[in-house]
Coordinates of all heavy atoms in Angstrom, one line a residue:
A1289 N 0.8 -1.2 0.0 CA 0.0 0.0 0.0 C 0.9 1.2 0.0 O 2.0 1.2 0.6 CB -0.9 0.0 1.2
K1290 N 0.4 2.3 -0.6 CA 1.2 3.5 -0.7 C 1.6 4.1 0.7 O 2.7 4.5 0.8 CB 0.3 4.6 -1.4 CG 1.0 5.2 -2.6 CD 0.0 6.2 -3.2 CE 0.7 6.7 -4.5 NZ -0.2 7.6 -5.2
C1291 N 0.7 4.0 1.7 CA 1.0 4.5 3.0 C 2.2 3.8 3.6 O 2.9 4.4 4.4 CB -0.2 4.5 3.9 SG -0.9 2.9 4.2
Q1292 N 2.4 2.5 3.3 CA 3.5 1.8 3.8 C 4.9 2.3 3.3 O 5.9 2.0 3.9 CB 3.4 0.3 3.5 CG 2.3 -0.4 4.2 CD 2.2 -1.8 3.8 OE1 1.4 -2.2 2.9 NE2 3.0 -2.6 4.4
C1293 N 4.9 3.1 2.3 CA 6.1 3.6 1.7 C 6.4 5.0 2.2 O 7.5 5.5 1.8 CB 6.1 3.6 0.2 SG 6.1 1.9 -0.5
K1294 N 5.6 5.5 3.1 CA 5.9 6.9 3.6 C 6.8 6.7 4.8 O 6.4 6.6 6.0 CB 4.6 7.5 4.0 CG 3.7 8.0 2.9 CD 2.5 8.7 3.3 CE 1.8 9.2 2.0 NZ 0.6 9.9 2.4
V1295 N 8.1 6.5 4.5 CA 9.2 6.4 5.4 C 10.1 7.5 5.3 O 10.6 7.9 4.2 CB 9.9 5.0 5.2 CG1 11.1 4.8 6.2 CG2 9.0 3.8 5.3
A1296 N 10.5 8.2 6.4 CA 11.4 9.3 6.4 C 12.8 8.8 5.8 O 13.2 7.7 6.1 CB 11.7 9.8 7.8
P1297 N 13.4 9.6 4.9 CA 14.6 9.1 4.2 C 15.7 8.6 5.1 O 16.3 7.5 4.8 CB 15.1 10.4 3.5 CG 13.8 11.2 3.2 CD 13.0 10.9 4.4
K1298 N 15.9 9.2 6.3 CA 16.9 8.7 7.2 C 16.5 7.4 7.9 O 17.4 6.8 8.5 CB 17.3 9.8 8.2 CG 16.1 10.2 9.1 CD 16.5 11.3 10.1 CE 15.3 11.7 10.9 NZ 15.5 12.9 11.7
E1299 N 15.3 7.0 7.8 CA 14.8 5.8 8.5 C 14.7 4.6 7.5 O 14.3 3.5 7.9 CB 13.5 6.1 9.2 CG 13.6 7.1 10.3 CD 12.2 7.4 10.9 OE1 11.2 6.7 10.6 OE2 12.2 8.3 11.8
R1300 N 15.0 4.8 6.3 CA 14.8 3.8 5.3 C 15.8 2.7 5.5 O 17.0 2.9 5.8 CB 15.0 4.3 3.9 CG 14.0 5.3 3.5 CD 14.3 5.8 2.1 NE 13.3 6.8 1.7 CZ 13.4 7.5 0.6 NH1 14.4 7.4 -0.3 NH2 12.5 8.4 0.3
K1301 N 15.4 1.4 5.3 CA 16.2 0.3 5.4 C 16.3 -0.3 4.0 O 15.3 -0.6 3.4 CB 15.6 -0.8 6.4 CG 15.7 -0.3 7.8 CD 15.2 -1.4 8.7 CE 15.4 -1.0 10.2 NZ 14.4 -0.1 10.7
N1302 N 17.6 -0.4 3.5 CA 17.9 -0.9 2.2 C 17.2 -2.2 1.9 O 17.2 -3.1 2.7 CB 19.4 -1.0 2.0 CG 19.7 -1.2 0.5 OD1 19.0 -0.8 -0.4 ND2 20.8 -2.0 0.3
C1303 N 16.6 -2.3 0.7 CA 15.9 -3.5 0.3 C 16.3 -4.1 -1.0 O 15.9 -5.1 -1.4 CB 14.4 -3.1 0.2 SG 13.3 -4.5 0.1
G1304 N 17.2 -3.4 -1.7 CA 17.7 -3.8 -3.0 C 19.2 -3.9 -3.1 O 19.9 -4.0 -2.1
Y1305 N 19.6 -3.7 -4.3 CA 21.1 -3.7 -4.6 C 21.4 -2.5 -5.3 O 20.5 -1.8 -5.9 CB 21.5 -5.0 -5.4 CG 20.6 -5.2 -6.6 CD1 20.9 -4.5 -7.8 CD2 19.5 -6.0 -6.6 CE1 20.1 -4.7 -9.0 CE2 18.7 -6.2 -7.7 CZ 19.0 -5.5 -8.9 OH 18.2 -5.7 -10.0
P1306 N 22.7 -2.1 -5.4 CA 23.0 -0.8 -6.1 C 22.6 -0.9 -7.5 O 22.8 -1.9 -8.2 CB 24.6 -0.8 -6.0 CG 24.9 -1.6 -4.7 CD 23.8 -2.7 -4.7
G1307 N 21.9 0.2 -8.0 CA 21.5 0.3 -9.3 C 20.2 -0.4 -9.7 O 19.8 -0.5 -10.8
I1308 N 19.5 -0.9 -8.7 CA 18.2 -1.6 -8.9 C 17.2 -0.6 -9.5 O 17.2 0.5 -9.2 CB 17.6 -2.2 -7.6 CG1 16.4 -3.2 -7.9 CG2 17.2 -1.1 -6.6 CD1 16.0 -4.0 -6.7
S1309 N 16.4 -1.1 -10.5 CA 15.4 -0.3 -11.1 C 14.2 -0.2 -10.2 O 13.9 -1.1 -9.4 CB 15.0 -0.9 -12.5 OG 14.3 -2.0 -12.3
A1310 N 13.3 0.8 -10.5 CA 12.1 1.0 -9.7 C 11.2 -0.2 -9.9 O 10.6 -0.7 -9.0 CB 11.4 2.2 -10.2
V1311 N 11.1 -0.7 -11.2 CA 10.3 -1.9 -11.5 C 10.7 -3.1 -10.7 O 9.9 -3.8 -10.1 CB 10.3 -2.2 -13.0 CG1 9.6 -3.5 -13.4 CG2 9.6 -1.0 -13.8
E1312 N 12.0 -3.4 -10.7 CA 12.5 -4.6 -10.0 C 12.4 -4.4 -8.5 O 12.0 -5.4 -7.8 CB 14.0 -4.8 -10.4 CG 14.6 -6.0 -9.7 CD 13.9 -7.4 -10.0 OE1 13.3 -7.5 -11.0 OE2 14.1 -8.3 -9.2
C1313 N 12.6 -3.2 -8.0 CA 12.4 -3.0 -6.6 C 11.0 -3.3 -6.1 O 10.7 -4.0 -5.1 CB 12.8 -1.5 -6.3 SG 12.6 -1.0 -4.6
K1314 N 10.0 -2.8 -6.9 CA 8.6 -3.0 -6.6 C 8.2 -4.5 -6.7 O 7.4 -5.0 -6.0 CB 7.7 -2.1 -7.4 CG 7.9 -0.6 -7.0 CD 7.1 0.3 -7.9 CE 7.3 1.8 -7.5 NZ 6.7 2.7 -8.4
R1315 N 8.8 -5.1 -7.7 CA 8.6 -6.5 -8.0 C 8.9 -7.4 -6.8 O 8.3 -8.4 -6.5 CB 9.3 -7.0 -9.2 CG 8.9 -8.4 -9.6 CD 9.6 -8.9 -10.9 NE 9.3 -8.0 -12.0 CZ 10.2 -7.6 -12.9 NH1 11.5 -8.1 -12.8 NH2 9.9 -6.8 -13.9
I1316 N 10.0 -7.0 -6.0 CA 10.4 -7.8 -4.9 C 9.7 -7.4 -3.6 O 10.1 -7.8 -2.5 CB 11.9 -7.8 -4.7 CG1 12.5 -6.4 -4.5 CG2 12.6 -8.5 -5.9 CD1 14.0 -6.4 -4.2
G1317 N 8.7 -6.5 -3.7 CA 7.9 -6.1 -2.6 C 8.4 -4.9 -1.8 O 8.0 -4.7 -0.6
C1318 N 9.3 -4.1 -2.4 CA 9.9 -3.0 -1.7 C 9.3 -1.7 -2.3 O 8.6 -1.7 -3.3 CB 11.4 -3.0 -1.9 SG 12.2 -4.5 -1.3
C1319 N 9.7 -0.6 -1.6 CA 9.3 0.8 -2.0 C 10.5 1.4 -2.8 O 11.6 1.1 -2.5 CB 9.0 1.6 -0.8 SG 7.7 1.0 0.2
F1320 N 10.1 2.3 -3.7 CA 11.2 3.0 -4.5 C 10.8 4.5 -4.5 O 9.7 4.9 -4.9 CB 11.3 2.4 -5.9 CG 12.4 3.0 -6.7 CD1 13.6 2.3 -6.7 CD2 12.3 4.1 -7.5 CE1 14.7 2.8 -7.4 CE2 13.4 4.6 -8.2 CZ 14.6 3.9 -8.1
N1321 N 11.9 5.3 -4.2 CA 11.7 6.7 -4.2 C 13.1 7.3 -4.4 O 13.9 7.2 -3.5 CB 11.1 7.3 -3.0 CG 10.9 8.8 -3.0 OD1 11.6 9.5 -3.7 ND2 9.8 9.2 -2.3
S1322 N 13.4 7.9 -5.6 CA 14.7 8.4 -5.9 C 14.8 9.9 -5.7 O 15.7 10.5 -6.2 CB 15.1 8.0 -7.3 OG 14.2 8.5 -8.2
S1323 N 13.9 10.5 -5.0 CA 13.9 12.0 -4.9 C 14.9 12.6 -3.9 O 15.1 13.8 -3.9 CB 12.5 12.5 -4.5 OG 12.1 12.0 -3.2
V1324 N 15.5 11.7 -3.0 CA 16.5 12.2 -2.1 C 17.8 11.5 -2.3 O 17.9 10.3 -2.3 CB 16.0 11.9 -0.6 CG1 17.0 12.4 0.4 CG2 14.6 12.6 -0.4
A1325 N 18.9 12.3 -2.5 CA 20.2 11.7 -2.8 C 20.8 11.2 -1.5 O 20.4 11.6 -0.4 CB 21.1 12.8 -3.3
N1326 N 21.7 10.2 -1.6 CA 22.5 9.7 -0.5 C 21.7 8.9 0.5 O 22.1 8.8 1.7 CB 23.4 10.8 0.2 CG 24.3 11.4 -0.8 OD1 24.9 10.8 -1.7 ND2 24.4 12.7 -0.8
V1327 N 20.6 8.4 0.1 CA 19.8 7.5 1.0 C 19.3 6.3 0.1 O 19.4 6.4 -1.1 CB 18.6 8.1 1.7 CG1 19.0 9.2 2.6 CG2 17.6 8.7 0.7
S1328 N 18.9 5.2 0.7 CA 18.4 4.1 -0.1 C 17.2 4.5 -0.9 O 16.2 5.1 -0.3 CB 18.0 3.0 0.9 OG 19.1 2.5 1.6
W1329 N 17.2 4.2 -2.1 CA 16.0 4.5 -3.0 C 15.1 3.3 -3.0 O 13.9 3.5 -3.2 CB 16.5 4.8 -4.4 CG 17.2 6.1 -4.5 CD1 17.4 7.0 -3.6 CD2 17.8 6.7 -5.7 NE1 18.1 8.1 -4.1 CE2 18.4 7.9 -5.4 CE3 17.9 6.2 -7.0 CZ2 19.0 8.7 -6.3 CZ3 18.6 7.0 -8.0 CH2 19.1 8.3 -7.6
C1330 N 15.6 2.1 -2.8 CA 14.8 0.9 -2.8 C 14.9 0.5 -1.3 O 15.9 0.1 -0.8 CB 15.4 -0.2 -3.7 SG 14.4 -1.7 -3.7
Y1331 N 13.7 0.6 -0.6 CA 13.7 0.3 0.8 C 12.5 -0.5 1.3 O 11.5 -0.6 0.6 CB 13.8 1.7 1.6 CG 12.7 2.7 1.2 CD1 11.5 2.7 1.9 CD2 12.8 3.5 0.1 CE1 10.5 3.6 1.6 CE2 11.8 4.4 -0.3 CZ 10.7 4.4 0.5 OH 9.7 5.3 0.1
S1332 N 12.6 -1.0 2.5 CA 11.6 -1.9 3.0 C 10.4 -1.0 3.4 O 10.5 0.1 4.0 CB 12.1 -2.6 4.3 OG 13.2 -3.4 4.0
P1333 N 9.2 -1.5 3.1 CA 8.0 -0.8 3.5 C 7.7 -0.9 5.0 O 8.3 -1.8 5.7 CB 6.9 -1.5 2.7 CG 7.4 -2.8 2.5 CD 8.9 -2.7 2.4
K1334 N 6.9 0.0 5.6 CA 6.5 -0.1 7.0 C 5.6 -1.4 7.1 O 5.0 -1.8 6.1 CB 5.6 1.0 7.4 CG 6.3 2.4 7.5 CD 5.2 3.4 7.9 CE 5.8 4.8 7.8 NZ 4.7 5.8 8.1
A1335 N 5.6 -2.0 8.3 CA 4.8 -3.2 8.5 C 3.3 -2.8 8.4 O 2.9 -1.7 8.7 CB 5.1 -3.7 9.9
K1336 N 2.5 -3.7 7.9 CA 1.1 -3.4 7.8 C 0.5 -3.4 9.2 O 0.9 -4.1 10.1 CB 0.4 -4.6 7.1 CG 0.6 -4.6 5.6 CD -0.2 -5.7 4.9 CE 0.1 -5.7 3.4 NZ -0.7 -6.7 2.7
K1337 N -0.4 -2.4 9.4 CA -1.1 -2.3 10.7 C -2.3 -3.1 10.6 O -3.1 -3.0 9.7 CB -1.4 -0.9 11.0 CG -0.2 0.0 11.4 CD -0.6 1.3 11.8 CE 0.7 2.1 12.2 NZ 0.3 3.5 12.7
V1338 N -2.5 -4.0 11.6 CA -3.7 -4.8 11.6 C -4.4 -4.7 12.9 O -3.8 -4.3 13.9 CB -3.3 -6.3 11.3 CG1 -2.8 -6.5 9.9 CG2 -2.4 -6.9 12.3
K1339 N -5.6 -5.0 13.0 CA -6.4 -5.1 14.2 C -7.3 -6.3 14.2 O -7.7 -6.8 13.2 CB -7.2 -3.8 14.4 CG -8.3 -3.6 13.3 CD -9.0 -2.3 13.6 CE -10.0 -2.0 12.4 NZ -10.8 -0.8 12.6
K1340 N -7.6 -6.8 15.4 CA -8.5 -7.9 15.6 C -9.9 -7.4 15.8 O -10.1 -6.4 16.5 CB -8.1 -8.7 16.9 CG -6.8 -9.5 16.7 CD -6.7 -10.3 18.0 CE -5.5 -11.2 18.0 NZ -5.4 -12.0 19.2
V1341 N -10.8 -7.9 15.1 CA -12.2 -7.6 15.2 C -13.1 -8.8 15.4 O -12.7 -9.9 14.8 CB -12.7 -6.7 14.1 CG1 -12.0 -5.4 14.0 CG2 -12.6 -7.4 12.8
C1342 N -14.2 -8.7 16.0 CA -15.1 -9.8 16.1 C -16.1 -9.6 14.9 O -16.6 -8.6 14.7 CB -15.9 -9.7 17.4 SG -14.9 -9.9 18.9
P1343 N -16.2 -10.7 14.1 CA -17.0 -10.6 12.9 C -18.5 -10.3 13.2 O -19.0 -10.8 14.2 CB -16.8 -11.9 12.2 CG -16.3 -12.9 13.2 CD -15.6 -12.0 14.2
N1344 N -19.1 -9.5 12.4 CA -20.5 -9.1 12.6 C -21.5 -10.2 12.1 O -22.5 -10.4 12.7 CB -20.8 -7.8 11.9 CG -20.2 -6.6 12.5 OD1 -20.0 -6.6 13.8 ND2 -19.9 -5.6 11.8
D1345 N -21.1 -10.9 11.0 CA -22.0 -11.9 10.5 C -21.9 -13.2 11.3 O -20.8 -13.8 11.3 CB -21.6 -12.2 9.0 CG -22.5 -13.2 8.3 OD1 -23.4 -13.8 9.0 OD2 -22.4 -13.4 7.1
P1346 N -22.9 -13.5 12.0 CA -22.8 -14.7 12.9 C -22.6 -16.0 12.1 O -22.1 -17.0 12.6 CB -24.2 -14.8 13.6 CG -25.1 -13.9 12.8 CD -24.3 -12.9 12.1
Y1347 N -22.9 -16.0 10.8 CA -22.8 -17.2 10.0 C -21.4 -17.4 9.5 O -21.1 -18.4 8.8 CB -23.8 -17.3 8.9 CG -25.2 -17.3 9.6 CD1 -26.0 -16.1 9.6 CD2 -25.7 -18.4 10.2 CE1 -27.2 -16.1 10.3 CE2 -27.0 -18.4 10.8 CZ -27.7 -17.2 10.9 OH -28.9 -17.2 11.5
T1348 N -20.5 -16.5 9.7 CA -19.1 -16.6 9.3 C -18.2 -16.9 10.5 O -17.0 -17.0 10.4 CB -18.5 -15.3 8.6 OG1 -18.6 -14.3 9.6 CG2 -19.3 -15.0 7.4
R1349 N -18.8 -17.1 11.7 CA -18.0 -17.4 12.9 C -17.3 -18.8 12.8 O -17.8 -19.7 12.3 CB -18.9 -17.4 14.1 CG -19.5 -16.1 14.4 CD -20.5 -16.2 15.6 NE -21.1 -14.9 15.9 CZ -22.1 -14.8 16.8 NH1 -22.5 -15.8 17.5 NH2 -22.6 -13.6 16.9
I1350 N -16.1 -18.8 13.4 CA -15.3 -20.0 13.4 C -15.2 -20.4 14.9 O -14.6 -19.6 15.7 CB -13.9 -19.9 12.8 CG1 -14.1 -19.5 11.3 CG2 -13.1 -21.1 13.0 CD1 -12.8 -19.2 10.6
N1351 N -15.7 -21.5 15.3 CA -15.8 -22.0 16.6 C -14.4 -21.9 17.4 O -13.4 -22.4 16.9 CB -16.3 -23.4 16.7 CG -16.9 -23.8 18.1 OD1 -16.8 -23.0 19.0 ND2 -17.4 -25.0 18.2
C1352 N -14.4 -21.4 18.6 CA -13.3 -21.3 19.4 C -13.5 -21.9 20.8 O -12.6 -21.9 21.6 CB -12.9 -19.8 19.6 SG -11.4 -19.4 20.5
G1353 N -14.6 -22.5 21.0 CA -14.9 -23.1 22.3 C -15.6 -24.4 22.2 O -15.3 -25.2 21.3
H1354 N -16.4 -24.7 23.2 CA -17.2 -25.9 23.2 C -18.6 -25.6 23.6 O -18.9 -24.5 24.1 CB -16.5 -26.9 24.2 CG -16.4 -26.3 25.6 ND1 -17.4 -26.1 26.5 CD2 -15.3 -25.7 26.2 CE1 -17.0 -25.6 27.6 NE2 -15.7 -25.3 27.4
P1355 N -19.6 -26.5 23.4 CA -20.9 -26.2 23.8 C -21.0 -25.9 25.3 O -20.4 -26.5 26.1 CB -21.7 -27.5 23.4 CG -20.9 -28.1 22.4 CD -19.4 -27.8 22.7
G1356 N -21.7 -24.8 25.6 CA -21.9 -24.4 27.0 C -20.8 -23.6 27.6 O -20.8 -23.3 28.8
I1357 N -19.8 -23.2 26.8 CA -18.7 -22.4 27.3 C -19.2 -21.0 27.8 O -20.2 -20.5 27.2 CB -17.6 -22.2 26.2 CG1 -16.3 -21.6 26.8 CG2 -18.1 -21.3 25.1 CD1 -15.1 -21.5 25.9
K1358 N -18.7 -20.6 28.9 CA -19.1 -19.3 29.5 C -18.3 -18.2 28.9 O -17.2 -18.4 28.4 CB -18.9 -19.3 31.0 CG -19.6 -20.5 31.7 CD -21.1 -20.2 31.8 CE -21.8 -21.3 32.6 NZ -23.0 -21.7 32.0
A1359 N -18.9 -17.0 28.9 CA -18.2 -15.8 28.3 C -16.8 -15.6 28.9 O -15.9 -15.3 28.1 CB -19.1 -14.6 28.5
K1360 N -16.7 -15.7 30.2 CA -15.4 -15.4 30.8 C -14.3 -16.4 30.3 O -13.2 -16.0 30.1 CB -15.5 -15.5 32.4 CG -14.4 -15.0 33.1 CD -14.7 -14.9 34.6 CE -13.6 -14.2 35.4 NZ -14.0 -14.1 36.8
E1361 N -14.7 -17.7 30.2 CA -13.7 -18.7 29.8 C -13.4 -18.4 28.3 O -12.2 -18.6 27.9 CB -14.3 -20.1 29.9 CG -13.4 -21.2 29.5 CD -14.1 -22.6 29.6 OE1 -15.3 -22.7 30.1 OE2 -13.5 -23.5 29.2
C1362 N -14.3 -18.0 27.5 CA -14.1 -17.8 26.1 C -13.1 -16.6 25.9 O -12.2 -16.7 25.2 CB -15.4 -17.5 25.4 SG -15.3 -17.0 23.7
T1363 N -13.4 -15.5 26.6 CA -12.6 -14.3 26.5 C -11.2 -14.5 27.1 O -10.2 -14.0 26.6 CB -13.2 -13.0 27.1 OG1 -13.5 -13.3 28.5 CG2 -14.4 -12.6 26.4
R1364 N -11.1 -15.4 28.1 CA -9.8 -15.8 28.6 C -8.9 -16.5 27.6 O -7.7 -16.4 27.6 CB -9.9 -16.7 29.9 CG -8.8 -16.6 30.8 CD -8.9 -17.4 32.1 NE -10.2 -17.1 32.8 CZ -11.0 -18.0 33.3 NH1 -10.8 -19.3 33.1 NH2 -12.1 -17.7 33.9
K1365 N -9.6 -17.2 26.7 CA -8.9 -17.9 25.6 C -8.5 -16.9 24.5 O -7.8 -17.3 23.5 CB -9.8 -18.9 24.9 CG -10.0 -20.2 25.8 CD -11.0 -21.1 25.1 CE -10.3 -21.7 23.9 NZ -11.1 -22.9 23.3
G1366 N -9.0 -15.6 24.6 CA -8.7 -14.6 23.6 C -9.6 -14.6 22.4 O -9.3 -14.1 21.3
C1367 N -10.8 -15.1 22.6 CA -11.8 -15.2 21.6 C -13.0 -14.2 21.8 O -13.1 -13.6 22.9 CB -12.4 -16.6 21.5 SG -11.1 -17.8 21.0
C1368 N -13.9 -14.1 20.9 CA -15.1 -13.3 20.9 C -16.2 -14.1 21.5 O -16.3 -15.3 21.3 CB -15.5 -12.8 19.6 SG -14.3 -11.9 18.6
F1369 N -17.1 -13.4 22.2 CA -18.3 -14.2 22.8 C -19.6 -13.3 22.5 O -19.6 -12.2 22.9 CB -18.1 -14.4 24.2 CG -19.2 -15.3 24.8 CD1 -19.1 -16.7 24.8 CD2 -20.4 -14.7 25.4 CE1 -20.1 -17.5 25.3 CE2 -21.4 -15.5 25.9 CZ -21.3 -16.9 25.9
K1370 N -20.5 -13.9 21.9 CA -21.9 -13.3 21.7 C -22.9 -14.5 21.8 O -22.9 -15.4 21.0 CB -22.0 -12.6 20.4 CG -21.3 -11.3 20.3 CD -21.6 -10.5 19.0 CE -20.7 -9.3 19.0 NZ -20.7 -8.7 17.6
A1371 N -23.7 -14.4 22.8 CA -24.7 -15.5 23.1 C -25.9 -15.4 22.3 O -27.0 -15.6 22.8 CB -25.0 -15.5 24.6
H1372 N -25.8 -15.2 21.0 CA -26.9 -15.2 20.1 C -26.4 -15.2 18.7 O -25.2 -14.8 18.5 CB -27.8 -14.0 20.3 CG -27.1 -12.7 20.3 ND1 -26.7 -12.0 19.1 CD2 -26.6 -11.9 21.3 CE1 -26.1 -10.9 19.4 NE2 -26.0 -10.8 20.7
P1373 N -27.1 -15.5 17.6 CA -28.3 -16.2 17.6 C -28.1 -17.7 17.9 O -26.9 -18.2 17.9 CB -28.8 -16.0 16.2 CG -27.6 -15.9 15.4 CD -26.6 -15.2 16.3
A1374 N -29.1 -18.5 18.0 CA -29.0 -19.9 18.2 C -28.5 -20.6 16.9 O -28.7 -20.0 15.8 CB -30.4 -20.5 18.5
G1375 N -27.8 -21.7 17.0 CA -27.4 -22.4 15.9 C -26.0 -22.0 15.3 O -25.6 -22.6 14.3
V1376 N -25.3 -21.1 15.9 CA -24.0 -20.7 15.5 C -23.1 -20.7 16.7 O -23.6 -20.6 17.9 CB -24.0 -19.3 14.8 CG1 -24.9 -19.3 13.6 CG2 -24.5 -18.2 15.8
P1377 N -21.8 -20.7 16.5 CA -20.9 -20.7 17.7 C -21.0 -19.4 18.5 O -21.1 -18.3 17.8 CB -19.5 -20.8 17.1 CG -19.7 -21.4 15.7 CD -21.0 -20.9 15.3
W1378 N -21.1 -19.4 19.8 CA -21.1 -18.2 20.6 C -19.7 -17.8 21.0 O -19.5 -16.6 21.3 CB -22.0 -18.5 21.8 CG -23.5 -18.6 21.5 CD1 -24.1 -18.6 20.3 CD2 -24.5 -18.9 22.5 NE1 -25.4 -18.7 20.4 CE2 -25.7 -18.9 21.7 CE3 -24.5 -19.1 23.8 CZ2 -26.9 -19.1 22.4 CZ3 -25.8 -19.3 24.4 CH2 -26.9 -19.3 23.7
C1379 N -18.8 -18.7 21.0 CA -17.4 -18.4 21.3 C -16.7 -18.6 20.0 O -16.7 -19.7 19.4 CB -16.9 -19.3 22.4 SG -15.1 -19.0 22.8
F1380 N -16.1 -17.6 19.4 CA -15.5 -17.6 18.1 C -14.3 -16.8 17.9 O -14.0 -15.9 18.7 CB -16.6 -17.3 17.0 CG -17.3 -16.0 17.3 CD1 -16.9 -14.8 16.7 CD2 -18.3 -15.9 18.2 CE1 -17.5 -13.6 17.0 CE2 -19.0 -14.7 18.5 CZ -18.6 -13.6 17.9
Y1381 N -13.5 -17.1 16.9 CA -12.2 -16.4 16.7 C -12.4 -15.0 16.1 O -13.4 -14.8 15.4 CB -11.3 -17.2 15.7 CG -10.8 -18.5 16.4 CD1 -11.3 -19.7 16.1 CD2 -9.7 -18.4 17.2 CE1 -10.8 -20.9 16.6 CE2 -9.2 -19.6 17.8 CZ -9.7 -20.8 17.5 OH -9.3 -21.9 18.1
H1382 N -11.4 -14.1 16.5 CA -11.4 -12.8 15.9 C -11.0 -12.9 14.4 O -10.5 -14.0 14.0 CB -10.2 -12.0 16.5 CG -10.5 -11.6 17.9 ND1 -10.1 -12.3 19.0 CD2 -11.2 -10.5 18.4 CE1 -10.5 -11.7 20.1 NE2 -11.1 -10.6 19.8
R1383 N -11.2 -11.9 13.7 CA -10.7 -11.8 12.3 C -9.7 -10.7 12.3 O -9.8 -9.7 13.1 CB -11.8 -11.3 11.3 CG -12.9 -12.4 11.1 CD -12.4 -13.4 10.1 NE -13.1 -14.7 10.2 CZ -14.3 -14.9 9.6 NH1 -14.8 -14.0 8.8 NH2 -14.9 -16.1 9.7
V1384 N -8.6 -10.8 11.5 CA -7.6 -9.8 11.5 C -7.9 -9.0 10.2 O -8.0 -9.5 9.1 CB -6.2 -10.5 11.4 CG1 -5.1 -9.4 11.2 CG2 -6.0 -11.3 12.6
M1385 N -7.9 -7.6 10.4 CA -8.2 -6.7 9.3 C -7.1 -5.7 9.2 O -6.5 -5.3 10.3 CB -9.5 -6.0 9.5 CG -10.7 -6.9 9.5 SD -12.2 -5.9 9.8 CE -12.2 -4.9 8.3
E1386 N -6.7 -5.2 8.0 CA -5.8 -4.1 7.9 C -6.4 -2.8 8.3 O -7.6 -2.6 8.0 CB -5.3 -4.0 6.4 CG -4.3 -5.1 6.0 CD -3.8 -4.9 4.6 OE1 -3.5 -3.7 4.3 OE2 -3.6 -5.9 3.9
E1387 N -5.6 -2.0 8.9 CA -6.1 -0.7 9.3 C -5.9 0.3 8.2 O -5.0 0.2 7.4 CB -5.4 -0.2 10.6 CG -5.9 -0.9 11.8 CD -5.4 -0.3 13.1 OE1 -5.4 1.0 13.2 OE2 -4.9 -1.0 14.0

């Protein structure tokens, strides 16, 4: 993503080899910016920011517990708990989403 390439020139970590082209740099998953002299032009992107969310659609839940699990036990396992609707897991895994 474009925002992952917004790295201050002095904080860039080299990701390519001397003379690498912009096309080759991007092909290997790196960022390229040749606007500042004497710093890496091909550099590592920032890590993706992710967050855990409990899915809204009850029919996409992936079971994280057992029948009759209590909310406290479920959340202690690091999972989501919603005691509704019937017929779907009430204790279920988070989904990871990019911010």
